[in-house]
Amino acid sequence: MTQATEEKPLKILQITDLHILPEAGDTMLGIDTEHYFQAVVQQARTDNHYDLVLVTGDLTQHPCPASYQRILAELEKLHTPCLCLPGNHDDLALMQQVFRGPVISCEKQVILAGWQIICLNSQIPGSPCGRLNAAELEFLESCLRQHPEHFAMIAVHHHCLPTNSEWMDTMQIENSAELLELLARYPKARAITFGHIHQDLHSKLDNLEIFAAPATCFQFKLDSREFALEQTPPGYRSFSLHPDGRITSEVLRLPGLLSELQMNSEGY
């Protein structure tokens, strides 16, 4: 796996909420989700060199081997190690069957330069909501204890802070307080990043920076009481993890608006 040098920051690409459908060309809410995923990958390939890619859940809308295989083929174009973690729409067992190579995998931890990246599963099978079970929290604490000299970034699908969208916040990680209390005991835990909310977010809680990346498909309207969409274009998040523990990050988007998006939709 590519190593960042001590002088240069570690470059991380986050893509999330692909919602790829069973057949290529299928549409959801009026848009071809696979087309926009491919466009995001193409733009990300040209805008920077990355040391690692995080794919933070909801890779598919209706899981099937064919959709995961097409995602795999697209991710391979990045020529970069990828860690894939499940969202509420995913089938983790299928993901583990397809993403099991040395480059694209469902591995839960990787150490690069002075950082460790830890991937957690917040999925509650059969529910859109999120929770970190005892085994996930134990795994997280074990990683932090075993590598106290490394700064840490945690990746998860569901959000751990309210978004001010009432309908979305019913799906927040149910035991977010437990997660945040655990991380507060480890000052080298510097960031959490997630997907699920189809919005970009950047907040700070003491030493911990909290991020979300926009979806590679459609975005949800900010500060909305009920399900609502925006024509804001698909995007992704880029991180620079510095040797001294600092994090810089930006959101990048495809050009134009999603004019084909069915704005009157009541759900998906």
Side-chain angles (χ1 to χ4, degrees):
M1 186 172 284
T2 304
Q3 294 281 340
T5 68
E6 289 302 315
E7 295 78 23
K8 292 183 180 180
L10 183 66
K11 301 293 291 186
I12 307 285
L13 168 65
Q14 182 187 3
I15 58 177
T16 195
D17 295 274
L18 291 51
H19 292 278
I20 301 301
L21 297 158
E23 299 290 337
D26 286 352
T27 62
M28 180 168 60
L29 305 184
I31 71 163
D32 182 338
T33 58
E34 192 159 349
H35 165 77
Y36 284 105
F37 165 54
Q38 292 170 345
V40 162
V41 169
Q42 175 60 32
Q43 183 168 309
R45 288 172 64 194
T46 60
D47 76 3
N48 214 324
H49 162 76
Y50 292 99
D51 299 292
L52 182 71
V53 179
L54 293 172
V55 189
T56 53
D58 280 359
L59 283 70
T60 62
Q61 177 67 12
H62 306 294
C64 66
S67 57
Y68 286 124
Q69 288 287 353
R70 299 200 311 277
I71 293 167
L72 175 66
E74 201 63 32
L75 292 176
E76 286 174 338
K77 296 178 182 178
L78 289 164
H79 303 290
T80 304
C82 297
L83 301 182
C84 302
L85 58 94
N88 49 288
H89 285 277
D90 286 308
D91 183 320
L92 179 56
L94 271 179
M95 288 177 62
Q96 290 170 331
Q97 288 176 27
V98 175
F99 306 124
R100 59 181 182 178
V103 177
I104 300 169
S105 74
C106 295
E107 291 294 326
K108 291 176 65 66
Q109 181 197 31
V110 66
I111 293 177
L112 290 171
W115 286 82
Q116 60 172 324
I117 314 301
I118 304 164
C119 297
L120 301 178
N121 178 4
S122 59
Q123 189 183 65
I124 301 175
S127 170
C129 301
R131 182 173 180 82
L132 294 169
N133 64 31
E136 290 298 300
L137 292 173
E138 289 167 8
F139 171 76
L140 171 61
E141 188 151 28
S142 173
C143 292
L144 296 172
R145 282 178 174 168
Q146 289 174 16
H147 300 280
E149 72 284 7
H150 286 78
F151 297 107
M153 169 182 269
I154 293 86
V156 66
H157 180 65
H158 291 85
H159 53 305
C160 61
L161 285 182
T163 66
N164 203 34
S165 287
E166 187 176 326
W167 73 277
M168 175 58 65
D169 289 337
T170 64
M171 295 177 276
Q172 182 179 331
I173 294 173
E174 293 173 355
N175 55 337
S176 293
E178 190 177 359
L179 168 66
L180 296 173
E181 287 167 9
L182 187 162
L183 293 174
R185 301 196 294 269
Y186 295 89
K188 288 212 168 183
R190 291 300 175 91
I192 301 175
T193 192
F194 47 79
H196 189 66
I197 66 173
H198 290 231
Q199 300 169 1
D200 64 280
L201 176 150
H202 182 200
S203 186
K204 193 160 186 178
L205 190 63
D206 299 323
N207 287 331
L208 192 67
E209 296 203 60
I210 300 174
F211 299 92
T216 67
C217 56
F218 48 84
Q219 314 308 311
F220 297 142
K221 186 177 180 180
L222 296 169
D223 305 326
S224 179
R225 185 173 182 178
E226 299 177 340
F227 176 90
L229 300 165
E230 289 187 339
Q231 290 183 312
T232 309
Y236 51 103
R237 185 174 280 280
S238 175
F239 294 96
S240 295
L241 308 185
H242 297 269
D244 61 1
R246 290 181 301 113
I247 299 171
T248 52
S249 182
E250 64 177 332
V251 166
L252 302 103
R253 294 185 184 273
L254 299 178
L257 297 177
L258 284 187
S259 58
E260 69 269 43
L261 187 62
Q262 295 171 348
M263 297 295 292
N264 60 347
S265 300
E266 297 181 355
Y268 72 106

